Coordinates of all heavy atoms in Angstrom, one line a residue:
G1469 N -10.5 -2.4 6.5 CA -9.9 -1.1 6.6 C -9.5 -0.8 8.1 O -9.9 -1.4 9.0
R1470 N -8.5 0.0 8.3 CA -8.0 0.4 9.6 C -8.8 1.5 10.3 O -9.5 2.2 9.6 CB -6.7 1.0 9.4 CG -5.5 0.2 8.9 CD -4.4 1.0 8.6 NE -3.2 0.1 7.9 CZ -2.2 0.5 7.2 NH1 -2.1 1.7 7.1 NH2 -1.4 -0.3 6.8
P1471 N -8.9 1.3 11.6 CA -9.7 2.4 12.4 C -9.0 3.8 12.3 O -9.6 4.8 12.3 CB -9.7 1.7 13.8 CG -8.5 1.0 13.8 CD -8.5 0.5 12.6
V1472 N -7.6 3.8 12.3 CA -6.8 4.9 12.0 C -5.8 4.6 11.0 O -5.3 3.5 10.8 CB -6.2 5.5 13.4 CG1 -7.1 5.8 14.4 CG2 -5.2 4.4 13.9
D1473 N -5.4 5.7 10.2 CA -4.4 5.5 9.2 C -3.0 5.7 9.6 O -2.0 5.1 9.1 CB -4.7 6.3 8.0 CG -6.2 6.1 7.5 OD1 -6.5 5.0 7.1 OD2 -7.0 7.0 7.8
I1474 N -2.9 6.6 10.6 CA -1.5 6.8 11.2 C -1.6 6.5 12.8 O -2.2 7.2 13.4 CB -1.1 8.4 11.0 CG1 -0.9 8.6 9.5 CG2 0.3 8.6 11.7 CD1 -0.5 10.0 9.2
Y1475 N -1.2 5.3 13.1 CA -1.3 4.9 14.5 C -0.1 5.3 15.3 O 0.9 5.2 15.1 CB -1.4 3.4 14.4 CG -1.3 2.6 15.6 CD1 -2.4 2.7 16.6 CD2 -0.2 1.9 16.0 CE1 -2.3 2.0 17.9 CE2 -0.1 1.3 17.3 CZ -1.3 1.3 18.1 OH -1.1 0.7 19.4
I1476 N -0.6 5.9 16.4 CA 0.4 6.6 17.4 C 0.1 5.9 18.7 O -0.9 6.3 19.3 CB 0.4 8.1 17.5 CG1 0.3 8.7 16.2 CG2 1.3 8.6 18.5 CD1 1.7 8.6 15.5
P1477 N 0.9 5.0 19.2 CA 0.7 4.3 20.4 C 1.0 5.1 21.7 O 2.0 4.8 22.4 CB 1.5 2.9 20.3 CG 2.6 3.3 19.4 CD 2.0 4.3 18.4
D1478 N 0.4 6.2 21.8 CA 0.8 7.1 22.9 C -0.4 7.2 23.8 O -1.6 7.5 23.4 CB 1.0 8.6 22.2 CG 1.5 9.6 23.2 OD1 0.9 9.5 24.3 OD2 2.2 10.5 22.7
A1479 N -0.3 7.0 25.1 CA -1.3 7.1 26.1 C -2.1 8.4 26.1 O -3.2 8.5 26.5 CB -0.7 6.8 27.5
M1480 N -1.5 9.5 25.7 CA -2.1 10.8 25.6 C -2.8 11.2 24.3 O -3.1 12.3 24.2 CB -1.1 11.8 26.1 CG -0.7 11.8 27.6 SD 0.2 13.1 28.2 CE -0.9 14.5 28.0
V1481 N -2.7 10.3 23.3 CA -3.2 10.6 22.0 C -4.6 9.9 22.0 O -4.9 8.7 22.5 CB -2.4 9.9 20.9 CG1 -3.1 9.9 19.5 CG2 -1.0 10.6 20.8
A1482 N -5.7 10.7 21.5 CA -7.1 10.1 21.6 C -7.2 9.1 20.6 O -6.3 8.9 19.6 CB -8.0 11.2 21.2
K1483 N -8.2 8.2 20.8 CA -8.4 7.2 19.7 C -8.5 7.5 18.3 O -7.8 7.0 17.4 CB -9.7 6.4 20.1 CG -9.6 5.6 21.5 CD -11.0 5.0 21.9 CE -10.8 4.2 23.2 NZ -12.1 3.7 23.6
R1484 N -9.2 8.6 18.2 CA -9.2 9.4 16.8 C -9.0 10.8 17.1 O -9.8 11.6 17.6 CB -10.5 9.2 16.1 CG -10.7 7.7 15.7 CD -11.8 7.5 14.8 NE -11.9 6.1 14.3 CZ -12.8 5.7 13.3 NH1 -13.5 6.6 12.6 NH2 -13.0 4.3 13.0
H1485 N -7.6 11.2 16.9 CA -7.2 12.4 17.5 C -7.3 13.6 16.4 O -7.8 14.7 16.8 CB -5.8 12.3 18.0 CG -5.3 13.3 18.8 ND1 -5.1 13.1 20.2 CD2 -5.1 14.7 18.7 CE1 -4.6 14.3 20.7 NE2 -4.6 15.2 19.8
A1486 N -6.9 13.5 15.3 CA -6.8 14.5 14.2 C -6.9 13.9 12.9 O -6.8 12.6 12.5 CB -5.4 15.1 14.4
V1487 N -7.2 14.8 11.9 CA -7.2 14.4 10.4 C -6.2 15.2 9.7 O -6.2 16.5 9.8 CB -8.7 14.7 10.0 CG1 -8.7 14.3 8.4 CG2 -9.7 13.9 10.6
L1488 N -5.4 14.5 9.0 CA -4.4 15.2 8.0 C -4.9 14.9 6.7 O -5.1 13.7 6.2 CB -3.0 14.6 8.4 CG -1.9 15.0 7.4 CD1 -1.6 16.5 7.4 CD2 -0.8 14.3 7.7
F1489 N -5.1 16.1 5.8 CA -5.5 15.8 4.5 C -4.8 16.8 3.5 O -4.4 17.9 3.9 CB -7.1 15.8 4.4 CG -7.7 17.3 4.7 CD1 -8.0 18.1 3.8 CD2 -7.8 17.5 6.1 CE1 -8.6 19.3 4.1 CE2 -8.4 18.7 6.5 CZ -8.9 19.6 5.3
A1490 N -4.8 16.3 2.2 CA -4.2 17.2 1.3 C -5.4 17.5 0.2 O -6.1 16.7 -0.2 CB -3.1 16.4 0.5
K1491 N -5.3 18.9 -0.2 CA -6.4 19.3 -1.1 C -5.8 20.5 -1.8 O -5.4 21.5 -1.2 CB -7.6 19.7 -0.3 CG -8.8 20.1 -1.2 CD -10.1 20.3 -0.3 CE -11.3 20.7 -1.2 NZ -12.5 20.9 -0.3
G1492 N -5.9 20.3 -3.2 CA -5.3 21.6 -4.0 C -3.9 21.7 -3.8 O -3.4 22.7 -3.8
K1493 N -3.1 20.7 -3.6 CA -1.6 20.7 -3.5 C -1.3 21.4 -2.1 O -0.2 21.8 -1.9 CB -1.0 21.5 -4.7 CG -1.2 20.7 -5.9 CD -0.5 19.3 -5.8 CE -0.5 18.6 -7.2 NZ 0.1 17.2 -7.3
R1494 N -2.2 21.6 -1.2 CA -2.0 22.0 0.1 C -2.3 21.2 1.2 O -3.0 20.2 1.0 CB -2.7 23.5 0.3 CG -2.3 24.7 -0.5 CD -3.0 25.9 -0.3 NE -2.6 26.9 -1.3 CZ -1.7 27.7 -1.0 NH1 -1.1 27.7 0.2 NH2 -1.3 28.6 -1.8
F1495 N -1.8 21.3 2.3 CA -2.1 20.3 3.4 C -2.7 20.9 4.7 O -2.3 22.1 5.1 CB -0.7 19.7 3.8 CG 0.1 19.2 2.6 CD1 1.1 20.1 2.0 CD2 0.0 17.9 2.1 CE1 1.8 19.7 0.8 CE2 0.6 17.6 1.0 CZ 1.6 18.4 0.3
Y1496 N -3.4 20.2 5.3 CA -4.2 20.8 6.4 C -4.4 19.7 7.5 O -4.4 18.6 7.3 CB -5.7 21.1 6.0 CG -5.7 22.1 4.9 CD1 -5.8 21.7 3.5 CD2 -5.7 23.6 5.0 CE1 -5.7 22.6 2.5 CE2 -5.6 24.4 4.0 CZ -5.8 23.9 2.7 OH -5.7 24.8 1.6
L1497 N -4.5 20.3 8.7 CA -4.5 19.4 10.0 C -5.8 19.9 10.7 O -5.9 21.3 10.8 CB -3.3 19.5 10.8 CG -3.2 18.6 12.0 CD1 -3.1 17.2 11.7 CD2 -2.1 19.1 12.9
Q1498 N -6.7 19.1 11.2 CA -7.7 19.6 12.1 C -8.1 18.5 13.1 O -7.6 17.4 13.0 CB -9.0 19.8 11.3 CG -9.6 18.6 10.7 CD -10.9 18.8 9.8 OE1 -10.8 18.5 8.8 NE2 -11.8 19.5 10.5
Q1499 N -8.7 18.9 14.1 CA -9.2 18.1 15.2 C -10.2 17.0 14.5 O -11.0 17.4 13.7 CB -9.8 18.8 16.4 CG -9.0 19.7 17.0 CD -8.2 19.0 18.1 OE1 -8.3 17.9 18.3 NE2 -7.4 19.8 18.9
H1500 N -10.1 15.7 15.0 CA -11.2 14.8 14.6 C -12.5 15.0 15.4 O -12.3 15.5 16.6 CB -10.6 13.4 14.9 CG -11.4 12.3 14.2 ND1 -12.6 11.9 14.6 CD2 -11.2 11.6 13.1 CE1 -13.2 11.0 14.0 NE2 -12.3 10.7 12.9
P1501 N -13.6 14.9 14.7 CA -14.8 15.3 15.4 C -15.0 14.5 16.7 O -15.6 15.1 17.6 CB -15.9 14.8 14.3 CG -15.3 14.9 13.0 CD -13.8 14.7 13.3
E1502 N -14.4 13.3 16.9 CA -14.6 12.5 18.1 C -13.6 13.1 19.2 O -13.8 12.8 20.3 CB -14.2 11.2 18.0 CG -15.1 10.4 16.9 CD -14.7 8.9 16.8 OE1 -13.8 8.4 17.5 OE2 -15.4 8.3 15.9
N1503 N -12.7 14.1 18.8 CA -11.8 14.7 19.8 C -12.3 16.2 20.0 O -11.5 16.9 20.6 CB -10.4 14.7 19.3 CG -9.4 15.1 20.2 OD1 -9.5 14.7 21.5 ND2 -8.3 15.8 19.9
V1504 N -13.6 16.4 19.8 CA -14.2 17.8 20.1 C -15.3 17.6 21.0 O -16.2 16.9 20.9 CB -14.6 18.4 18.8 CG1 -15.2 19.8 19.0 CG2 -13.4 18.6 17.9

Side-chain angles (χ1 to χ4, degrees):
R1470 297 171 182 159
V1472 297
D1473 304 296
I1474 298 178
Y1475 171 70
I1476 308 293
D1478 182 331
M1480 293 186 65
V1481 171
K1483 293 176 180 178
R1484 296 192 177 190
H1485 197 114
V1487 177
L1488 170 65
F1489 63 99
K1491 187 175 183 180
K1493 297 296 182 180
R1494 294 177 181 269
F1495 311 92
Y1496 303 94
L1497 184 71
Q1498 68 178 123
Q1499 298 277 1
H1500 193 279
E1502 294 181 10
N1503 193 34
V1504 178

